Amino acid sequence: MNLELLTKLTQTFGPSGYEEEIREVLRAEVVAFADEVRVDPLGSLVVRRRGKEGGKKILLAAHMDEIGLMATYVDEKGFVRFTSIGGVRPTNCVGGRARFADGTLGAIAVEWREDATTTPALEHLYLDVGATGREDCPVKVGDPAVFVGPLEARGRRLISKALDDRIGCYVLLEVLRQLPETPHDIYFVFSTQEEITLAGARTTAFRIDPDMAIAVDVTVTGDTPKSLPMDVALGKGPAIKVKDRGMIAHPLVRDLLVAAAEKAASPYQMEILLYGSTDASAMQLVRAGVPSGCLSVPSRFVHSPSEMVDGDDVENSVRVLLAALPLA
Ligand code: CO
Ligand code: ZN
């Protein structure tokens, strides 16, 4: 694992709709390996590797946006109220920190409540950025922020904010770097706004009009205390999606990924995700329909400042995709 690269990817600011900084970081990583690089109107970074005459068009997508917070109101004492960008749970916020695009740091706190045994709602939380009033508050209504959560490795385990889905971006970068001559046209899409509307992948897939689309994203696991019953565990290989809240994976893609995992001699798991979805659910619906599926990196504590993945799962995801592309 290239921890220096993963640190850069996870720590760069990029909540949904504000992907400029992370896009420039990714662009710098891809240029040397691309036949073509472009940015679509909604901000997706599209990297093309040209195949041979008569090859297929295959789209690989990882979203570069992350969940975040957005300031909704600054009170007379300078405290900042906020709403969510994407799936932000109050229990993952309190006691944590958020950082705005200009570097402003806020402590996330909760109001005093009569009954502190219940879970607070987002409206009961606020940010203290060190201001004393509206006038000296550096945060304005509409400013976006992200969780603070540095990357650290503990053995093979990696802990950071935004592994959803910068780990997918990392996997795509590795596949791009290691991909030899290919019979197919491969489009590496670093999509925008996955966490709110899937807008980036949906529109980019429409333009590319691929024969097949594969999202690379995280999925949750069933291996933590009182987790949902789910047959996906950290460190037991990439998960091949069968079904989630938004789609049934196309059998063509699902079976291709299974065949690729076997060819690569990689461990793998079959994923049925009860809550949540990915770019694949939107990409399958463009034009007349695109056979779509998903290769998932198992992750604990998804949408918290301390998401956790296993380095072996990451490296095996790269190997499975490299094995899948020539089989498509
Ligand atoms: Co997510
Ligand atoms: Zn994701």
Side-chain angles (χ1 to χ4, degrees):
M1 294 278 315
N2 180 343
L3 290 187
E4 200 186 318
L5 173 61
L6 189 58
T7 300
K8 202 173 359 160
L9 293 178
T10 56
Q11 300 306 305
T12 299
F13 184 85
S16 310
Y18 300 84
E19 295 94 351
E20 297 83 359
E21 274 178 53
I22 182 65
R23 182 168 55 241
E24 290 320 303
V25 166
L26 286 162
R27 191 204 296 267
E29 298 295 329
V30 300
V31 281
F33 305 92
D35 292 319
E36 220 178 281
V37 180
R38 64 172 281 166
V39 177
D40 272 354
L42 295 192
S44 298
L45 179 71
V46 183
V47 180
R48 180 178 176 199
R49 276 288 294 275
R50 239 184 238 106
K52 302 204 169 68
E53 197 75 35
K56 292 180 186 150
K57 282 195 273 185
I58 300 174
L59 192 168
L60 301 178
H63 66 90
M64 59 179 160
D65 61 308
E66 62 185 306
I67 58 164
L69 312 176
M70 182 177 274
T72 54
Y73 184 80
V74 181
D75 73 16
E76 46 302 326
K77 287 185 172 164
F79 295 110
V80 179
R81 297 288 174 160
F82 59 87
T83 187
S84 60
I85 299 175
V88 173
R89 284 185 295 278
T91 43
N92 285 336
C93 291
V94 180
R97 303 170 182 203
R99 195 178 294 282
F100 289 84
D102 68 351
T104 296
L105 181 75
I108 312 176
V110 59
E111 297 166 355
W112 182 85
R113 293 172 307 138
E114 188 90 51
D115 180 3
T117 63
T118 58
T119 307
L122 275 187
E123 322 55 295
H124 297 124
L125 310 188
Y126 59 89
L127 286 163
D128 187 336
V129 296
T132 58
R134 256 185 206 135
E135 296 65 39
D136 71 341
C137 183
V139 176
K140 302 285 170 273
V141 169
D143 286 353
V146 296
F147 283 144
V148 172
L151 178 86
E152 281 203 41
R154 308 297 304 163
R156 290 299 287 163
R157 301 281 157 90
L158 305 163
I159 307 173
S160 177
K161 81 163 176 82
L163 286 167
D164 175 11
D165 186 28
R166 305 289 166 73
I167 201 67
C169 297
Y170 178 93
V171 168
L172 254 56
L173 287 179
E174 281 302 313
V175 172
L176 174 67
R177 278 169 217 243
Q178 295 179 36
L179 187 69
E181 290 280 282
T182 156
H184 304 306
D185 257 12
I186 315 289
Y187 292 84
F188 298 81
V189 174
F190 300 91
S191 63
T192 54
Q193 301 193 40
E194 189 272 351
E195 296 291 358
I196 48 174
T197 58
L198 316 173
R202 184 188 304 271
T203 48
T204 291
F206 185 94
R207 185 179 63 72
I208 292 174
D209 193 12
D211 295 298
M212 176 183 281
I214 303 173
V216 181
D217 207 334
V218 298
T219 191
V220 302
T221 65
D223 62 352
T224 51
K226 289 195 184 175
S227 56
L228 279 171
M230 182 181 184
D231 200 21
V232 172
L234 218 60
K236 298 211 168 146
I240 297 166
K241 194 180 295 288
V242 178
K243 179 188 184 297
D244 65 23
R245 215 44 184 282
M247 76 180 307
I248 303 235
H250 196 287
L252 210 67
V253 183
R254 184 197 63 210
D255 295 348
L256 168 71
L257 291 172
V258 169
E262 305 218 322
K263 185 176 140 201
S266 164
Y268 65 96
Q269 320 179 62
M270 301 312 285
E271 173 202 351
I272 294 118
L273 177 65
L274 299 180
Y275 302 98
S277 195
T278 72
D279 277 338
S281 68
M283 295 191 293
Q284 70 169 348
L285 294 176
V286 304
R287 296 183 185 261
V290 177
S292 301
C294 188
L295 188 69
S296 304
V297 179
S299 173
R300 290 177 180 167
F301 323 126
V302 172
H303 287 193
S304 81
S306 300
E307 299 176 329
M308 183 187 289
V309 299
D310 186 284
D312 290 341
D313 292 340
V314 179
E315 285 171 355
N316 282 323
S317 299
V318 175
R319 294 175 53 234
V320 169
L321 287 171
L322 283 168
L325 292 175
L327 292 178

